[in-house]
Amino acid sequence: MTLRRFFALFGLLIVGTVLIVAVLAPWITPHDPFAQNLDGRMAVPFWMDGSVVGHPLGTDQLGRDYLSRLIYGARISMIIGVSVVICSGLIGTTLGVIGGFFGGRVDAVVMFIITCRLAIPLILIALTVVSFVGSSFTVVILTLGLLLWERFAVVARTTTMQVRTLDYVAAAQAAGCSKFHILLREVLPNIAHHLVVVATLEMALAILLEAALSFLGLGVPSPLPSWGLMISEAKDFMYFSPWVIMIPGVALFVLILGINLLGDGLRDWLGATRDA
Amino acid sequence: MISFLARRAILALLVLITVLTISFALTRLSGDVAVSMAGPAASQEDVETIRKAYGLDRPLPIQFANWVIGAASGDLGRSYLYHAPVAELIKARLPITLTLGLTGLCIALLTAIPLGILAAMNEGSVLDRAIMMIAVIGQAMPSFWLGLTLIIVLGLRLQWLPISGVDTWDGYILPGIVLAFSAIPALMRLTRSGMVDALASDYIRTARAKGLSRASIVLRHALRNAAMPVVAVAAVQLGFMLGGSIVIEAVFSLNGVGYLAWESIAKNDFPVVQSVVLFLSTIYIVLTLLADLLNAVLDPRLRTA
Amino acid sequence: MPEPLLEVSGLRVRFGKNVDAVRGINISVQKGETHCLVGESGCGKSVSALAVMGLLAKGATRSADRLSFGGQDLLALSERQFSKLRGDRMAMIFQEPMTSLNPAFTVGSQMAEVLQRHRGVSRGEGLERAAALLAKVGITNPGLRLGQFPHQLSGGLRQRVMIAMALMCDPELLIADEPTTALDVTVQAQILRLLMGLQAELGLAILLITHDLGVVARMAHRVSVMYAGEVVESATAEALFAAPTHPYTNGLLRCVPVPGVIKRGDPLGSIPGTVPRIAPGYAGCAFRDRCDHADASCNAHVATQQIGTDHAYRCRLSADWVQAA
């Protein structure tokens, strides 16, 4: 087994584990992630002296079980990642395929939209929208979904341009198939493998951005246990109890690393390009 | 060449106007600005006063036009929170954000380019893999968490560097490193692939046939060609970094433009928010234009075409 | 016969683990003579030249019994020492004039740096010499060309620049790898004339790699015919054209109208099949699958036979038999 394969499988293992944990969260958490216990605040995790039985990763500043919150956090990250990718993937792919297939003026308009999107300061606009609309899970998903489509569009556009000139597309056109049919049946299946790789990258980015927004207090609202929010709420205690930011931080890092490794592996396996 | 630049400039202007319209629309359509500015405790009268004072009672297109005309002449409006002209607020905080961004860019380039060259020269080796692994790890690191971790390790445990504020120059080092981390993976990959292509090219074979030294072959002949796309991307990355500095400034309590924006968003100080969006977009657009220009300067094929 | 300027013996080049590109060839080039290395594409002639110059790409390994240049053992040199020789006493020009010059630097700066590197002169002196050489290779207005970038020059001009650049340090040996292949026919003739003129004037030894027997007929003093990584026949140009002995050489000559060799009205032949790819451990004659005269004995090792002192070929057939056939 080559090193690349090993890393890809490692990534798959990480993403698979997080996904299973996220799905099974209500059944595997030892405690209610929202139950506060002010007498049992800031319990230390198991590898330190004085840890409390029943709270393997300790408790937070409100006495909530850290392991349970971490597990529910995985749920939030995965839902954010998947929903944002679906939303942005739809927008970006539609724009990119249309631009790449029709070319000419249509393509110029698509390129212009992509350029405009790139010129918008991402975090600032996301924060602004969430702040004005009011922070909620759905708002974060929609905001990120409406912003993170540009790489889908770029890759869909260039790959569609390549596919458009191929024989079977030309044949379908000659056979009088409708444009919609050609796009859906001939073009899309042949660029899908590129889009899958983009999806992994965008999923990682969406999870990172949600964490950053929540860290800045304008993402997922408290008391939901988003990993970014956990770090934000714990940062006043990090000087004396560094594990409170280390645990969710490492979880975030490992998940993103896993998704990226999986993406690299998929790219090698599917023979797709990373950037168009 | 000139017409190419003119076309790029017109396109940039169009992009800027579009971005402005979008950001204006977002701040206005996502809620009643006067109500959110006045706060939950305000009476209907207070809200109406604010609406009048900020011209929010006028039709949206007129508000937009007024704002754009004002912005074009340097008047970005007044902050509701600071009771001061927004332009002055931004101007006062700009040095911190710019210094931070440039520090980050320097650190990123000084790390990414040598590592990318090293990886390309040893393509396929263990060293190459190890260096590319750094890129993968760097990409997975949430910047705010990296910042907090560095504060704990380098600032508190080892006490090497100040952990917040920029009273002295070394206050920029930690935030600069964290900011650089976001740009290093892309720059490193680009340097590596550019150098791999360049080193396999015919003109490098010619350079070797001329008996040039290894340093001259790699650093003069290959890097000069590989550097062209890197320069362009570095300019764009600086734009992203300035936009991303909002997180870093929050972590390290730096009173820059990003911090101002964060504060203003949290307190619904919409004239400031709008202006910072305008400001960051303009910088990004100018930087991409500059990247095109730099490319033209660096690439004789573009310059003399 | 005096000590040759370049002597190569038993040169082997292997790509990775599975491809033997060059299989123990011997070549010698005398001062002031043109030695042509001729063969189809893929026969290993360019690789041989690159191996002699120490310019093989990554993944290719070179070994040789003897590799000497001007009495100096090239095998004993470190890469750093070898690089002092390249561009100074031995120079090379390539097939691809369009891509062989660095697009990012002016012609002048690319030429001057050769002299700066090997003679330690200033940039100004380098540019002066460059201008003089550009004039020598027939480029008008050298001053203008020095300041131009490669993309502003035509293919023929670029190849002239490459030749001038190779001459910067007055080399004793010039290796020219298909220098005219990528050029228009008229420009080809100009470049060949230029090379011949330079050789007469400077006493340059040229190792010319080509697949074009017309070029060989015009330029060569000596010819080595390569097939599948081996030299299958080697002789003076006169002897080779008068009495080609190896079946492959015969086949090649029948394919091309060489003035004075193939008479008007003779039908042009062709050799069916392609050059086989040779893996380590290959035994016997590599041409046997395409040869009209092959039999079972061609599967065994084939020894080199001599005709007189200066004509060698690698085939089991006797010279008289082939030439009669």
Side-chain angles (χ1 to χ4, degrees):
Chain A
M1 184 159 68
T2 63
L3 202 63
R4 299 179 84 94
R5 287 270 289 279
F6 172 78
F7 280 134
L9 285 178
F10 185 60
L12 184 68
L13 186 74
I14 292 171
V15 177
T17 310
V18 175
L19 193 67
I20 292 171
V21 165
V23 170
L24 298 180
W27 295 279
I28 57 172
T29 43
H31 298 273
D32 178 354
F34 303 104
Q36 302 181 5
N37 173 12
L38 296 181
D39 295 333
R41 285 180 296 173
M42 304 301 285
V44 298
F46 68 91
W47 64 84
M48 293 172 71
D49 291 335
S51 61
V52 181
V53 179
H55 294 294
L57 292 183
T59 58
D60 69 2
Q61 62 285 349
L62 296 173
R64 297 173 290 198
D65 180 53
Y66 229 42
L67 176 62
S68 306
R69 288 184 72 72
L70 198 70
I71 290 174
Y72 267 87
R75 212 170 207 213
I76 291 178
S77 284
M78 288 311 268
I79 294 176
I80 294 267
V82 172
S83 334
V84 168
V85 163
I86 291 173
C87 187
S88 59
L90 279 175
I91 301 173
T93 307
T94 311
L95 273 176
V97 166
I98 289 176
F101 188 78
F102 293 101
R105 290 204 175 175
V106 178
D107 187 39
V109 171
V110 168
M111 276 312 285
F112 181 75
I113 297 175
I114 294 174
T115 315
C116 287
R117 159 55 202 91
L118 282 169
I120 291 176
L122 183 63
I123 296 184
L124 193 57
I125 285 292
L127 284 173
T128 309
V129 173
V130 174
S131 157
F132 276 120
V133 181
S135 68
S136 83
F137 204 40
T138 330
V139 169
V140 172
I141 290 174
L142 283 177
T143 309
L144 291 180
L146 288 172
L147 285 171
L148 289 182
W149 47 262
E150 86 278 358
R151 206 181 332 216
F152 278 109
V154 169
V155 172
R157 176 176 168 271
T158 37
T159 50
T160 302
M161 282 178 166
Q162 290 157 10
V163 167
R164 184 177 59 173
T165 53
L166 297 181
D167 288 345
Y168 49 83
V169 178
Q173 257 171 325
C177 297
S178 76
K179 290 228 158 66
F180 183 73
H181 175 92
I182 292 172
L183 284 180
L184 210 61
R185 289 298 170 85
E186 309 291 342
V187 173
L188 209 51
N190 287 293
I191 65 168
H193 58 292
H194 297 281
L195 298 177
V196 168
V197 176
V198 176
T200 59
L201 290 169
E202 291 305 301
M203 182 172 170
L205 187 59
I207 293 172
L208 273 179
L209 275 175
E210 179 275 321
L213 294 185
S214 298
F215 174 78
L216 290 173
L218 286 166
V220 174
S222 183
L224 283 178
S226 148
W227 290 344
L229 192 58
M230 284 168 77
I231 295 174
S232 170
E233 289 174 345
K235 71 173 188 294
D236 293 342
F237 305 91
M238 71 177 194
Y239 299 114
F240 301 105
S241 318
W243 79 84
V244 291
I245 67 153
M246 282 306 140
I247 291 171
V250 169
L252 204 49
F253 168 69
V254 171
L255 176 59
I256 303 299
L257 186 68
I259 297 175
N260 282 339
L261 288 178
L262 181 65
D264 284 348
L266 281 174
R267 185 195 56 210
D268 292 344
W269 184 52
L270 298 168
T273 51
R274 182 183 200 98
D275 331 273
Chain B
M1 184 64 210
I2 302 288
S3 79
F4 165 75
L5 281 181
R7 250 183 298 138
R8 287 289 290 109
I10 291 169
L11 185 70
L13 205 64
L14 277 176
V15 169
L16 188 62
I17 291 170
T18 313
V19 171
L20 284 187
T21 316
I22 293 171
S23 65
F24 183 85
L26 277 177
T27 51
R28 296 307 157 92
L29 297 180
S30 49
D32 189 332
V33 184
V35 171
S36 43
M37 274 170 71
S43 67
Q44 187 61 35
E45 247 166 75
D46 295 340
V47 173
E48 287 313 316
T49 316
I50 287 174
R51 208 186 293 281
K52 268 237 146 46
Y54 285 88
L56 297 171
D57 50 347
R58 277 176 272 178
L60 276 182
I62 292 184
Q63 287 185 40
F64 180 62
N66 282 340
W67 182 58
V68 170
I69 291 166
S73 59
D75 175 19
L76 294 171
R78 286 183 74 84
S79 159
Y80 150 79
L81 200 63
Y82 288 91
H83 302 290
V86 177
E88 273 171 34
L89 287 175
I90 292 180
K91 208 154 112 197
R93 291 152 193 253
L94 190 56
I96 291 183
T97 301
L98 274 187
T99 314
L100 176 60
L102 290 173
T103 311
L105 186 69
C106 287
I107 296 175
L109 287 175
L110 289 176
T111 319
I113 292 181
L115 284 178
I117 294 174
L118 215 57
M121 286 173 69
N122 299 282
E123 193 196 353
S125 71
V126 177
L127 183 66
D128 180 20
R129 294 238 176 85
I131 289 174
M132 290 328 281
M133 205 59 215
I134 296 177
V136 175
I137 288 175
Q139 251 174 345
M141 203 83 84
S143 59
F144 58 93
W145 177 66
L146 177 67
L148 293 174
T149 310
L150 289 182
I151 287 177
I152 293 177
V153 177
L154 294 180
L156 287 170
R157 291 286 151 86
L158 301 171
Q159 307 216 326
W160 286 351
L161 292 165
I163 55 172
S164 73
V166 281
D167 304 329
T168 52
W169 63 271
D170 50 1
Y172 284 109
I173 296 180
L174 275 188
I177 291 175
V178 176
L179 198 54
F181 244 80
S182 61
I184 285 174
L187 291 174
M188 199 154 85
R189 282 178 209 274
L190 200 65
T191 308
R192 180 183 174 278
S193 64
M195 282 299 283
V196 166
D197 289 349
L199 286 173
S201 69
D202 288 343
Y203 57 80
I204 289 302
R205 192 180 58 187
T206 306
R208 289 173 64 210
K210 293 197 291 191
L212 301 181
S213 67
R214 192 153 171 74
S216 167
I217 291 172
V218 173
L219 298 178
R220 187 173 136 85
H221 282 268
L223 185 60
R224 177 61 199 272
N225 285 282
M228 291 176 211
V230 175
V231 166
V233 169
V236 176
Q237 286 285 344
L238 180 62
F240 287 145
M241 281 162 117
L242 292 175
S245 79
I246 190 166
V247 179
I248 314 290
E249 288 178 19
V251 170
F252 289 93
S253 328
L254 303 183
N255 203 3
V257 177
Y259 200 84
L260 175 70
W262 185 36
E263 230 177 19
S264 313
I265 291 169
K267 307 247 168 72
N268 293 323
D269 193 355
F270 81 90
V272 179
V273 178
Q274 266 176 6
S275 303
V276 176
V277 172
L278 161 69
F279 177 70
L280 286 176
S281 304
T282 313
I283 286 192
Y284 176 86
I285 291 166
V286 168
L287 281 173
T288 46
L289 254 181
L290 207 66
D292 284 349
L293 209 73
L294 265 175
N295 249 350
V297 171
L298 278 179
D299 191 337
R301 281 164 296 190
L302 285 177
R303 186 176 26 182
T304 51
Chain C
M1 193 179 278
E3 169 92 351
L5 177 65
L6 175 74
E7 192 172 6
V8 177
S9 108
L11 177 70
R12 302 179 160 275
V13 178
R14 182 169 287 185
F15 290 151
K17 290 198 174 81
N18 298 322
V19 179
D20 274 355
V22 178
R23 303 185 293 148
I25 65 165
N26 305 329
I27 296 172
S28 65
V29 184
Q30 300 289 339
K31 272 204 174 70
E33 81 167 5
T34 298
H35 188 138
C36 277
L37 204 53
V38 62
E40 290 168 271
S41 55
C43 72
K45 52 192 195 303
S46 292
V47 176
S48 304
L50 290 172
V52 169
M53 284 291 282
L55 293 176
L56 287 171
K58 252 186 224 167
T61 44
R62 175 189 76 180
S63 66
D65 301 332
R66 187 173 154 72
L67 203 58
S68 85
F69 173 73
Q72 195 169 12
D73 182 10
L74 295 180
L75 293 170
L77 295 181
S78 70
E79 170 58 27
R80 184 184 289 262
Q81 291 165 322
F82 205 153
S83 76
K84 298 258 165 69
L85 219 57
R86 282 198 295 260
D88 185 358
R89 296 181 56 202
M90 53 201 291
M92 184 161 181
I93 57 177
F94 300 96
Q95 182 176 351
E96 305 87 2
M98 304 313 275
T99 51
S100 290
L101 288 164
N102 194 325
F105 298 102
T106 58
V107 166
S109 111
Q110 292 187 61
M111 291 183 70
E113 71 180 339
V114 183
L115 211 61
Q116 289 171 274
R117 157 81 171 161
H118 294 293
R119 298 282 185 273
V121 303
S122 71
R123 186 180 158 85
E125 287 173 76
L127 286 173
E128 233 168 79
R129 166 103 176 127
L133 280 172
L134 286 182
K136 192 192 264 312
V137 299
I139 291 179
T140 50
N141 202 351
L144 168 78
R145 299 301 180 193
L146 282 181
Q148 285 188 319
F149 288 93
H151 72 271
Q152 294 167 295
L153 274 50
S154 70
L157 269 182
R158 286 189 216 187
Q159 198 60 293
R160 283 173 194 267
V161 168
M162 284 296 289
I163 294 171
M165 194 157 76
L167 298 177
M168 284 297 282
C169 292
D170 278 322
E172 295 153 60
L173 173 70
L174 176 69
I175 300 185
D177 183 1
E178 307 252 16
T180 58
T181 307
L183 304 174
D184 293 340
V185 186
T186 49
V187 183
Q188 278 185 19
Q190 292 169 8
I191 296 283
L192 291 178
R193 210 172 303 133
L194 171 65
L195 284 175
M196 280 159 80
L198 288 169
Q199 177 168 53
E201 189 184 337
L202 307 170
L204 205 56
I206 298 178
L207 178 60
L208 181 69
I209 288 110
T210 181
H211 66 274
D212 186 342
L213 284 167
V215 171
V216 176
R218 287 185 58 180
M219 301 279 296
H221 300 111
R222 273 198 80 81
V223 185
S224 291
V225 180
M226 274 191 83
Y227 186 80
E230 286 179 321
V231 170
V232 293
E233 183 160 9
S234 176
T236 62
E238 257 172 16
L240 191 97
F241 283 114
T245 309
H246 195 282
Y248 177 62
T249 314
N250 269 304
L252 272 188
L253 285 174
R254 269 199 303 277
C255 296
V256 219
V258 178
V261 179
I262 302 272
K263 283 175 220 73
R264 193 175 282 258
D266 283 359
L268 275 180
S270 69
I271 313 176
T274 51
V275 184
R277 181 179 257 224
I278 305 294
Y282 188 92
C285 174
F287 188 59
R288 60 176 182 259
D289 293 335
R290 300 169 75 184
C291 182
D292 296 335
H293 315 297
D295 67 17
S297 62
C298 295
N299 294 340
H301 174 74
V302 182
T304 304
Q305 301 195 54
Q306 293 281 342
I307 309 167
T309 53
D310 218 15
H311 189 164
Y313 69 102
R314 189 188 278 265
C315 182
R316 65 176 179 87
L317 302 169
S318 78
D320 302 336
W321 192 88
V322 178
Q323 282 158 18

